[in-house]
Amino acid sequence: MTDAVAERIRNAAGALATGWIDPPVLQPAGLYLELAGEDIRARAYMLAGDDDAAFCLRPDMTAPAVREALRSSAWSSAFGVAYDGLVFRRQSDNVKETEFRQIGAEVFAPAADIAAQEAGVTIAALDACRAAGVEPRLRLGDVGVFEALVEACALPEQWSRRVKRAFSRPGGLATVLREAAAPPAPEESILGEALATLPDDRAAAVVEELLADARIVLVGGRTVAEIAARLREKGRSLHAPRADADALALIAEATAIEAAPDAAFAALRACAERAPMKNPAPFRAALDRAAARWSEVARDAAPEATFSAGFGRGLAYYDGFVFELEAPALGARASLGGGGRYDGLLHRIASSQGGGPADPSTWGAAGFALRPARIAEAGR
Amino acid sequence: MSALIIGVPSKGRLQEQTLAFFADCGLAISQDGGKRGYAARMAGQGDVEVRLLSAGDITAALRDGDIHVGVTGEDLLRELGPGFQRIIMVKPLGFGRADLVVAAPAAWLDVTTMADLDEVSAAMRARTGKRLRVATKYLKQTHAFLDGRGVDDYRIVESLGATEGAPAAGVADVIVDITTTGATLAANHLKTLSDGLILKSQAQLAASRVAPWTPSARTTFAVLLDQIEAREQGRALKLVRAAVGGAKPEALAALVERMGGRLASESEPGLFAFYCPAERAPEASAAAAALGAGPVGVFGSDYVFERVGTLSRRFAEDFGPH
């Protein structure tokens, strides 16, 4: 049963790719620690070794596929790779699935061309499920829409940063909104206030002298200039404007919208008309892109779907559109797989590993991965 | 065959303090093979086997059920992660105190709180693509603490040797480590963050849930716990004895209650005696005299045993039926 399902998924993945790859099961642990943070220790099987040489069993296929693709010489125009292999994840005690098969494809293209591939990636994943006899429900999101939403509200720099960072944390946004409603009194920084009145280079010189007088040696990976700059920022923030509560409320409201895509886009466009949106143009443009992508998917495939600007996927790779395919028959949030756009991951791996195009920052990446066993189960 | 195996630290200050503690409780430990032996006996406890192990080995042996009971640091026990579920911390011992803290470079004048560290780590990652490096031996507690404070742009550098030297050596930015006075941190140009205290640790008398607890091992341990508690009570309480004299018995009973004391015995005619918290004994005696009792004497007690000891009862409850 699973074999027949897997064959159909392989066909869909292969159609997006110019070749099949077989990345190593053992991947450098440091790569995942840098990409996903310490949480990965609880989710991936780490193998003991010298710190730099430590390995883990691959917890996903996306990063290994990117590493493999970077070694190829295909980087003159858009191309894709497909894969079919086991991934390994630590699970809580009540879930037994510690290894499972993933079949998927990753597409790489110059920045100008990658957006045109997004709908195609989504459709390929949908088609694979359908070919296996399963009609999935599609959950859509777009990290770009979320970031444009925050930009549009023109929050003070510090709050803007915090809201964006909170996005990938469960419950993070609610925490930031709570803090904004009742901000802790800014910490008194007499030194910061004094430094804020000086030019940049003078401020750094003052800090340098203070440290020398106190016989404190600078250790750790920051410069005196960075320390001085942040002290000045703290000094200034004593008098800084507070976050606009209406703007934060609007962000909360907009990210809570989850509806059929056309209805969700309409509701988000209505948000763009509201007062706290000081700079709605980029937000509207991001919505237009998401809507165009959706209409392309809907024209071709017309699945049952929802869109939410508050939806991002598990491993914090994705920085553009994201999607998840769910089988309600298997449970409330039972995932059959998913995918999305992850230019940042490509750039980070390319810069640490080398290889790939001459200037990786001008390239983008998107892809999907599906779980044949789940799809076979959903088709039963 | 010995019924109860106890792990005792085999070296350093922790060993000295542990041996002194048991000796003070009348449970002196004597090493079989002189100073170098690693098995020992406990005075008056024929079916107790004492094993001298490092604190780290005691922690692992408790987790694995190789020993029933051991003395080790709470910081090490909590670092067992899920294995901590197999441990019962029976009694904090009041020595081996150390704080597990987050420490940042003293030169980071702009960083005094965890919120600062969160912002700085995010800025570092945004600027360089690299995460803040945290050197520690305490991986699990570090992760749990930073996670709880919303810090996630960091990476742990597992340290095996002197953690506090890691930032100066250029292999880390901040550290998580134990400190007692902060002097070592300062010598390495580090400072603790104001809300960076992860754990106030001390030595614990801990038991393993997974050791082979025979009924006789449980009985033996209960006897030890009762004696330890009785010694502690002996230090904490004084016996106040007074001739009732002209004092009204109800007034004396009210005084005992007010002082947080307890009647020591069925009254003998003309004699009144009660246990009183040591620090209040002079005040209580003076008050008794003022009520017309006297003479009033205050006596130290080496041990005060209860009918049912609190420690052994609580252990039995925690451990559950066998």
Side-chain angles (χ1 to χ4, degrees):
Chain A
M1 178 65 189
T2 307
D3 283 348
V5 167
E7 203 43 50
R8 299 210 163 91
I9 301 172
R10 283 177 62 96
N11 290 340
L16 276 185
T18 38
W20 286 81
I21 54 168
D22 185 15
V25 169
L26 291 181
Q27 294 287 328
L31 170 76
Y32 280 97
L33 287 167
E34 279 296 336
L35 293 174
E38 289 293 324
D39 280 345
I40 201 76
R41 285 189 205 270
R43 287 191 283 159
Y45 290 97
M46 307 300 245
L47 308 179
D50 294 344
D51 199 42
D52 281 339
F55 287 91
C56 65
L57 299 181
R58 62 185 180 206
D60 79 333
M61 285 296 250
T62 306
V66 170
R67 296 184 72 226
E68 208 65 9
L70 282 168
R71 293 201 182 91
S72 84
S73 54
W75 298 83
S76 49
S77 60
F79 72 103
V81 296
Y83 51 79
D84 176 357
L86 292 174
V87 300
F88 307 85
R89 291 191 198 161
R90 280 180 192 276
Q91 304 285 6
S92 55
D93 286 343
N94 51 354
V95 186
K96 297 280 181 285
E97 226 173 2
T98 53
E99 61 172 67
F100 56 86
R101 188 172 167 191
Q102 269 195 343
I103 302 173
E106 311 295 337
V107 178
F108 308 100
D113 306 327
I114 188 73
Q117 307 263 9
E118 294 176 348
V121 166
T122 316
I123 292 166
L126 266 172
D127 284 350
C129 292
R130 285 175 170 166
V134 174
E135 180 61 33
R137 192 168 61 192
L138 186 59
R139 285 183 87 200
L140 298 164
D142 191 331
V143 183
V145 167
F146 174 78
E147 292 195 338
L149 167 70
V150 178
E151 290 297 326
C153 288
L155 295 172
E157 172 66 19
Q158 202 185 350
W159 284 104
S160 177
R161 271 197 317 250
R162 296 183 68 182
V163 170
K164 283 185 193 169
R165 291 184 56 215
F167 179 70
S168 56
R169 288 180 200 155
L173 207 50
T175 309
V176 173
L177 291 173
R178 232 183 1 259
E179 285 170 8
E187 194 190 334
E188 196 89 24
S189 172
I190 297 169
L191 179 59
E193 273 192 277
L195 293 179
T197 64
L198 296 175
D200 260 336
D201 55 332
R202 300 294 299 158
V206 169
V207 171
E208 192 105 44
E209 207 169 308
L210 280 174
L211 294 178
D213 283 353
R215 294 174 192 282
I216 295 172
V217 174
L218 177 62
V219 298
R222 295 170 79 215
T223 64
V224 169
E226 284 169 322
I227 294 163
R230 190 160 174 280
L231 277 168
R232 284 150 57 85
E233 196 180 305
K234 278 180 112 173
R236 280 194 298 264
S237 72
L238 279 179
H239 313 289
R242 286 173 52 165
D244 175 358
D246 292 341
L248 288 168
L250 183 60
I251 291 172
E253 188 186 326
T255 49
I257 294 170
E258 176 151 23
D262 289 325
F265 296 138
L268 289 166
R269 285 203 179 90
C271 288
E273 303 301 323
R274 307 249 299 268
M277 288 265 183
K278 299 192 177 60
N279 179 24
F283 178 53
R284 289 205 185 98
L287 277 176
D288 288 346
R289 283 193 294 276
R293 188 189 310 123
W294 163 245
S295 63
E296 204 179 319
V297 173
R299 188 166 58 237
D300 196 275
E304 184 198 341
T306 59
F307 179 91
S308 168
F311 171 60
R313 290 193 79 230
L315 282 171
Y317 290 169
Y318 296 98
D319 44 21
F321 89 104
V322 291
F323 67 92
E324 186 102 28
L325 296 156
E326 293 177 346
L330 297 185
R333 284 275 181 248
S335 173
L336 304 176
R341 172 105 174 246
Y342 55 87
D343 298 7
L345 176 75
L346 171 65
H347 303 160
R348 283 205 292 276
I349 298 183
S351 79
S352 69
Q353 174 186 319
D359 181 2
S361 70
T362 62
W363 279 64
F368 73 84
L370 295 173
R371 301 173 64 160
R374 285 267 180 91
I375 293 172
E377 192 187 342
R380 251 172 238 141
Chain B
M1 199 184 109
S2 296
L4 185 76
I5 306 172
I6 300 184
V8 166
S10 58
K11 55 181 189 260
R13 185 101 184 93
L14 194 58
Q15 178 186 35
E16 285 169 30
Q17 288 171 311
T18 303
L19 294 181
F21 167 79
F22 281 115
D24 179 66
C25 292
L27 299 166
I29 290 168
S30 57
Q31 283 160 260
D32 287 346
K35 270 273 176 199
R36 293 228 150 254
Y38 286 93
R41 276 191 298 269
M42 186 176 265
Q45 304 294 331
D47 43 8
V48 169
E49 177 188 338
V50 176
R51 288 191 194 158
L52 299 171
L53 301 164
S54 75
D57 287 347
I58 289 171
T59 309
L62 286 168
R63 176 196 62 205
D64 298 340
D66 293 338
I67 57 178
H68 295 91
V69 179
V71 173
T72 185
E74 184 171 346
D75 56 333
L76 300 180
L77 290 171
R78 291 195 181 273
E79 193 57 26
L80 288 174
F84 184 59
Q85 305 294 327
R86 300 189 196 164
I87 307 288
I88 300 172
M89 292 199 293
V90 182
K91 179 167 173 45
L93 296 176
F95 54 81
R97 287 184 192 276
D99 293 343
L100 185 64
V101 298
V102 182
W108 291 10
L109 301 178
D110 59 323
V111 176
T112 56
T113 64
M114 291 301 295
D116 285 324
L117 196 64
D118 180 31
E119 274 196 31
V120 164
S121 64
M124 276 179 114
R125 180 145 185 249
R127 189 171 46 80
T128 65
K130 298 277 184 203
R131 292 165 183 272
L132 181 86
R133 297 161 302 166
V134 184
T136 189
K137 300 183 191 70
Y138 298 89
L139 276 66
K140 296 194 178 83
Q141 289 168 96
T142 298
H143 183 226
F145 184 76
L146 294 182
D147 213 37
R149 297 298 180 282
V151 181
D152 48 17
D153 289 325
Y154 72 97
R155 183 177 161 183
I156 288 176
V157 181
E158 194 171 351
S159 98
L160 301 170
T163 307
E164 64 277 358
V171 298
D173 302 303
V174 302
I175 69 165
V176 169
D177 205 4
I178 49 166
T179 175
T180 46
T181 62
T184 312
L185 292 180
N188 285 279
H189 306 288
L190 300 171
K191 64 179 177 187
T192 57
L193 300 184
S194 61
D195 55 350
L197 176 65
I198 299 176
L199 174 72
K200 284 194 93 62
S201 180
Q202 60 176 302
Q204 289 275 353
L205 180 64
S208 169
R209 288 185 187 278
V210 293
W213 284 96
T214 60
S216 79
R218 290 187 64 161
T219 306
T220 305
F221 189 43
V223 167
L224 293 187
L225 288 178
D226 287 345
Q227 186 159 336
I228 288 168
E229 183 178 359
R231 176 62 182 143
E232 190 173 62
Q233 288 295 300
R235 285 173 177 286
L237 299 174
K238 296 281 186 196
L239 182 64
V240 179
R241 280 166 64 101
V244 175
K248 292 204 179 75
E250 315 84 74
L252 286 173
L255 173 69
V256 172
E257 182 137 330
R258 201 165 71 244
M259 293 289 150
R262 283 183 9 253
L263 283 182
S265 59
E266 308 301 319
S267 344
E268 289 168 46
L271 192 68
F272 189 80
F274 64 100
Y275 288 108
C276 181
E279 69 282 4
R280 303 194 72 177
E283 179 195 353
S285 308
L291 287 170
V296 185
V298 178
F299 302 86
S301 38
D302 289 341
Y303 297 89
V304 177
F305 282 83
E306 299 291 341
R307 290 195 187 97
V308 180
T310 309
L311 277 180
S312 57
R313 179 177 51 77
R314 212 184 295 138
F315 173 72
E317 285 167 6
D318 276 358
F319 193 83
H322 202 69

